[in-house]
Amino acid sequence: RCRKYFVQHDVNGDGVLQRNEVDEAIASICKVLLLTPPGREKVDALVAKTDKNGDGVLSTDEWMLLYSLLVKSALQQASMVIERQHTEMAAASARAREAAVAAREAERASAAASELKASAKGQRPKIKVKTHPKPPAKTKGQLISAWTTDTRGAACAFRYACATCQHKWHGMGLQLPTSTTCPGCSQAGPVTDHGWG
């Protein structure tokens, strides 16, 4: 691929890349790698770093060095984006947990207020007990059960249960995955969707 870009952008066919050809090649690579093209000063620094003989043009070997620096930069940028998205998802998950705790506390407070009000009238209150469905019995091919617990915003919150080790955990995503790995026993398997729970 590196050689392909060299040949493609060596417009005059002289076997080296002139400065304008380097600029066009870098822009083309950045477009393919979904990178923001570097500014003029950054390109000048890259060319100076890779133009080993200082003749102002890049030979095939010098181009290979510049190309490897661009690919390395793309990997670093991708890693930073992935880390930022991971941090954002963790924060969203924490906010969802906090909201669920606050909702449970509000529900308990409301039930306590109803009970107090009813006891003042001499009546026994009707209390609804909310229970989560139990995971179904382990069947062949069914390793991980999942329930959707929240769909506010762009992401959904899910609750998982492993049929192998009975480990339970929570996750978030845009949609329920078709398979996942249990963090308790590292067993990978298909996810059975049980709807809301």
Side-chain angles (χ1 to χ4, degrees), residues 2-161:
C2 174
R3 179 84 176 138
K4 177 189 118 183
Y5 283 112
F6 186 89
V7 172
Q8 181 181 354
H9 290 92
D10 182 14
V11 178
N12 60 7
D14 60 357
V16 294
L17 291 181
Q18 306 296 325
R19 179 51 201 263
N20 64 326
E21 294 171 333
V22 170
D23 291 341
E24 291 171 11
I26 289 174
S28 176
I29 291 168
C30 289
K31 184 176 181 180
V32 169
L33 296 177
L34 302 176
L35 293 173
T36 303
R40 182 75 177 177
E41 290 175 2
K42 179 76 173 175
V43 174
D44 288 342
L46 282 171
V47 170
K49 187 174 187 176
T50 55
D51 185 12
K52 297 297 183 184
N53 60 6
D55 61 357
V57 295
L58 296 182
S59 66
T60 306
D61 292 338
E62 293 168 335
W63 169 250
M64 288 174 67
L65 179 59
L66 188 139
Y67 182 83
S68 69
L69 291 173
L70 285 174
V71 171
K72 183 178 178 182
S73 175
L75 292 173
Q76 288 172 340
Q77 286 184 24
S79 294
M80 290 184 338
V81 167
I82 289 168
E83 182 61 34
R84 186 179 68 238
Q85 289 176 344
H86 177 71
T87 302
E88 290 170 358
M89 288 298 289
S93 180
R95 286 192 302 272
R97 280 193 302 272
E98 290 170 4
V101 168
R104 280 194 301 270
E105 288 175 0
E107 190 176 305
R108 286 182 189 137
S110 175
S114 295
E115 186 176 331
L116 185 62
K117 187 177 178 181
S119 67
K121 292 182 178 180
Q123 301 173 352
R124 188 171 179 132
K126 294 179 183 177
I127 299 175
K128 291 182 181 179
V129 178
K130 196 175 195 181
T131 60
H132 291 289
K134 293 181 181 178
K138 183 178 174 183
T139 60
K140 187 174 183 176
Q142 180 182 339
L143 295 175
I144 300 172
S145 299
W147 294 268
T148 303
T149 58
D150 190 2
T151 58
R152 289 176 280 180
C156 298
F158 304 109
R159 183 170 52 93
Y160 300 96

